[in-house]
Amino acid sequence: MERIPDGATILMGGFGLCGIPENLIAALRDKGTKHLIVASNNAGVDDFGIGILLRSRQVKKMISTYVGENDTFERLCLSGELEVELVPQGTFAERLRAGGSGIPAFYTPTGVGTLVATGKEVREFDRRLYLLEKALRGDFAFVKAWRGDRLGNLVYRKTARNFNPLMAAAADTTIAEVEQLVEPGSLDPDTVITPGIYVDAIFQGTNYEKRIEQRTHRPKGGAGA
Amino acid sequence: MKSESSRERIVRRAALELRDGFYVNLGIGMPTLVANYIPRGMTVILQSENGLLGIGPFPEVGEEDPDLINAGKQTITEIPGAAYFHSADSFAMIRGGHVDLTVLGGMEVDQEGNLANWMVPGKMVKGMGGAMDLVAGARRVVVMMTHVTKEGEPKILQKCRLPLTGARVVQRIISDLAVMDVTPAGLVLAEIAPGVTVEQVRQATEAELKVDPETLKTVMV
């Protein structure tokens, strides 16, 4: 945390509150680093996830795809204290993948003919129109995995994977927090999703809350989605 | 309540769009309910853009897993044969035309197949999430919505007034009154709900509706 300067761009994994780097977010809040640009699919909720960094006024700009779960976000946006760049989710994911793999830009059909296309190059391939979108990189990436080893190899669990592997590859410095830190050789190499080459530091997190945003059930013994 | 029953009617009709073997992405909110009406014996694999193929039913109380949610952030389960992947793979499936069908909600649709469902100028903009990618990439895009607003204003227009989610992307509209197809010849009335007249549908629609009595059917749901 000492090495993260004010104004840094930080990629933060997670979808809603699922697969977010809880420990790293809390540490950043405690450190008080300011004027941050945070790229994350969502903005957390009022009192958890990235929401706690918004409340403490540490974020200058968010790059996100959907921010509807957070009242603080709405207030800060309306008062002009927080800048937001909304990106279609697939474009957000692909910009990160491009950023991590040496591709400066790419064409996508998403957003042609919408506000998203404003100011962007439009080009026709095989009688269809595409937008030029640029890669997205961070100074830092905060990622969360289920298990990881001391070489930085990461394994995720279920839908907590989401943007984490993409962000791990797309930053100058990637810090991973894991629920279980194991010795090299403990992970089956065939199941590693993020190879350690992308990870600069790794630690075992503590006190995971893993809060659920929308607790939905079916009746006992019942069917239905 | 009338609104409840019309919602249910829309959901049940939308389920008739499903075909055996389809990979389907259902939008957040009302479209999610279509999963409750998958016909028995039909195999439909539901895609969740946050990284899952093979959404199962909601979990029983006590069985929730914070690592397993859908795109609406609801706790879900996985079916046998499910697969997980990261978000870039998820949207490669979507944009790459591998998803057979997406069913989304809409604020406005027009006769050219333009869709608006993410932004109302002057109101807090929450974001488009994955909707722009879904309409750009799914093989078939079906919009389900009430035919008119709560105030009775038409939502099926000659030209969308709200900012678009996608241009010329919608193939079919399912409402509580009718099913309409976007064709090169314009918006064609394909089905009407029982007890509804063509004239009533026209009254509730701003778009120019083409009607062929030979092919028009009553929706049997």
Side-chain angles (χ1 to χ4, degrees):
Chain A
M1 285 303 142
E2 296 303 320
R3 287 163 47 209
I4 300 178
D6 286 351
T9 297
I10 309 181
L11 314 175
M12 293 192 194
F15 187 101
L17 302 179
C18 180
I20 59 171
E22 294 184 20
N23 284 257
L24 285 162
I25 291 171
L28 194 61
R29 194 258 325 266
D30 294 345
K31 175 81 187 347
T33 316
K34 291 214 176 344
H35 312 302
L36 298 168
I37 299 173
V38 174
S40 187
N41 190 61
N42 310 98
V45 294
D46 262 340
D47 62 340
F48 195 59
I50 292 167
I52 64 173
L53 299 175
L54 298 175
R55 276 181 133 179
S56 53
R57 307 287 198 274
Q58 288 172 259
V59 182
K60 178 178 71 177
K61 178 180 175 182
M62 288 284 319
I63 304 171
S64 300
T65 85
Y66 186 83
V67 293
E69 291 101 356
N70 191 318
D71 292 337
T72 308
F73 188 100
E74 185 165 344
R75 211 172 51 246
L76 292 176
C77 256
L78 293 173
S79 70
E81 285 176 80
L82 179 65
E83 195 185 332
V84 59
E85 177 183 343
L86 290 169
V87 182
Q89 201 170 116
T91 298
F92 184 63
E94 196 63 21
R95 287 178 65 192
L96 290 163
R97 174 152 71 177
S101 46
I103 305 291
F106 57 92
Y107 288 99
T108 176
T110 303
V112 170
T114 75
L115 291 177
V116 167
T118 309
K120 290 174 186 157
E121 182 194 326
V122 177
R123 185 163 163 189
E124 187 178 320
F125 297 90
D126 297 328
R127 294 199 302 281
R128 193 170 177 197
L129 298 176
Y130 297 82
L131 293 185
L132 185 67
E133 293 278 4
K134 287 184 180 161
L136 177 60
R137 284 186 58 85
D139 300 318
F140 297 87
F142 288 180
V143 304
K144 155 78 195 331
W146 175 45
R147 304 180 76 200
D149 68 21
R150 293 186 189 284
L151 293 174
N153 296 303
L154 304 177
V155 174
Y156 303 90
R157 196 172 167 275
K158 302 186 185 284
T159 55
R161 184 182 309 184
N162 54 65
F163 295 90
N164 283 295
L166 304 166
M167 291 178 169
D172 296 344
T173 303
T174 292
I175 310 170
E177 61 173 89
V178 295
E179 288 178 56
Q180 297 170 24
L181 184 61
V182 299
E183 290 305 316
S186 305
L187 301 175
D188 175 356
D190 272 333
T191 66
V192 170
I193 301 295
T194 296
I197 192 170
Y198 297 121
V199 178
D200 299 287
I202 186 167
F203 68 98
Q204 182 167 305
T206 54
N207 301 318
Y208 278 107
E209 180 178 337
K210 297 177 80 169
R211 191 186 293 186
I212 291 174
E213 230 169 307
Q214 304 283 340
R215 201 173 283 270
T216 41
H217 299 115
R218 68 176 186 275
K220 264 226 173 331
Chain B
M1 258 168 61
K2 185 181 176 293
S3 66
E4 221 167 36
S5 67
S6 58
R7 271 170 67 96
E8 195 179 313
R9 179 189 286 178
I10 297 168
V11 171
R12 279 189 286 122
R13 176 57 190 80
L16 298 182
E17 299 295 309
L18 304 171
R19 297 289 178 273
D20 200 34
F22 262 20
Y23 290 95
V24 178
N25 184 298
L26 299 173
I28 294 164
M30 187 161 69
T32 303
L33 302 174
V34 173
N36 294 334
Y37 295 91
I38 299 172
R40 208 170 282 275
M42 184 186 282
T43 303
V44 171
I45 307 282
L46 299 176
Q47 203 251 17
S48 196
E49 63 264 31
N50 55 319
L52 167 63
L53 264 180
I55 304 176
F58 290 135
E60 291 187 357
V61 175
E63 301 295 313
E64 315 90 344
D65 182 340
D67 288 336
L68 181 45
I69 62 169
N70 64 16
K73 285 95 180 178
Q74 297 173 307
T75 47
I76 51 167
T77 59
E78 64 189 33
I79 61 166
Y84 294 103
F85 35 85
H86 61 58
S87 301
D89 276 348
S90 179
F91 284 92
M93 288 172 201
I94 290 167
R95 255 190 268 97
H98 306 281
V99 171
D100 297 293
L101 169 70
T102 187
V103 183
L104 300 171
M107 296 180 199
E108 293 177 352
V109 185
D110 68 29
Q111 58 198 37
E112 292 176 354
N114 298 313
L115 168 68
N117 71 354
W118 76 284
M119 174 181 183
V120 179
K123 287 198 183 173
M124 173 71 191
V125 182
K126 294 181 171 181
M128 65 293 277
M132 286 193 181
D133 305 279
L134 280 163
V135 299
R139 296 172 73 115
R140 185 168 170 79
V141 176
V142 172
V143 170
M144 55 189 286
M145 60 184 198
T146 55
H147 207 96
V148 296
T149 65
K150 286 194 190 89
E151 293 75 33
E153 297 296 321
K155 294 163 77 172
I156 301 163
L157 308 174
Q158 291 181 6
K159 195 93 190 160
C160 284
R161 294 186 262 273
L162 294 172
L164 297 185
T165 306
R168 297 173 183 270
V169 291
V170 177
Q171 272 97 50
R172 172 164 272 196
I173 307 164
I174 298 174
S175 80
D176 46 332
L177 301 182
V179 176
M180 291 137 286
D181 288 321
V182 179
T183 74
L187 193 63
V188 174
L189 187 62
E191 302 176 13
I192 51 174
V196 174
T197 66
V198 172
E199 199 43 45
Q200 282 173 311
V201 178
R202 278 197 200 282
Q203 289 273 323
T205 309
E206 184 201 273
E208 197 183 316
L209 259 189
K210 303 211 183 316
V211 184
D212 179 354
E214 295 285 305
T215 58
L216 183 62
K217 292 181 290 193
T218 299
V219 193
M220 300 306 289
V221 293

